[in-house]
Amino acid sequence: MASTNPFDEIPSGTPSPLPLRHAKEKVEPSKPSKSIEEIADILLQEKLVLTALELHSELLESGKELSNLRDYFSNPGNFDHAFPQALMVVKSEMVRTPSMSTFDSLEL
């Protein structure tokens, strides 16, 4: 049985998903509902720090910079609370638990 690609042909009687007359019309981009500054503020307010950092990096690469993102990421106080104190403590000894069975104790 030969396999056929269902997208190679559109069966007769099926409407085209995008009529050609629409493909030639010029589509004007809509004006964004929020400015980049507003989007950056929302990202910071919602604690979406990685997304805000990515936006900041992309803007810097394109030669632009937002003062609110620059101020946020240049302030180390914004990141002091990022890690709980329990994770900051380095233990000198690893706690080990006895194993009921290991590969060494198994007789194969």
Side-chain angles (χ1 to χ4, degrees):
M1 179 176 178
S3 64
T4 60
N5 186 342
F7 299 105
D8 285 342
E9 296 179 13
I10 298 175
S12 61
T14 304
S16 174
L18 181 62
L20 291 179
R21 63 181 167 83
H22 291 297
K24 294 181 181 182
E25 292 177 8
K26 186 175 181 181
V27 177
E28 294 293 326
S30 62
K31 184 179 178 188
S33 60
K34 297 194 183 303
S35 68
I36 292 289
E37 292 85 4
E38 291 172 321
I39 293 170
D41 287 335
I42 291 169
L43 292 174
L44 294 175
Q45 288 170 1
E46 297 293 325
K47 306 285 188 226
L48 299 171
V49 178
L50 290 178
T51 307
L53 180 60
E54 186 172 357
L55 175 62
H56 182 55
S57 299
E58 292 291 332
L59 289 171
L60 287 175
E61 286 178 11
S62 67
K64 301 172 187 171
E65 186 176 43
L66 295 178
S67 61
N68 58 347
L69 291 176
R70 180 192 63 228
D71 294 343
Y72 183 85
F73 289 112
S74 64
N75 183 356
N78 290 327
F79 306 102
D80 288 342
H81 63 280
F83 299 103
Q85 288 297 338
L87 294 177
M88 299 296 282
V89 177
V90 178
K91 295 185 178 183
S92 60
E93 295 181 25
M94 289 184 64
V95 177
R96 295 192 165 243
T97 58
S99 175
M100 296 302 288
S101 63
T102 63
F103 287 119
D104 293 337
S105 66
L106 294 176
E107 295 180 17
L108 301 175

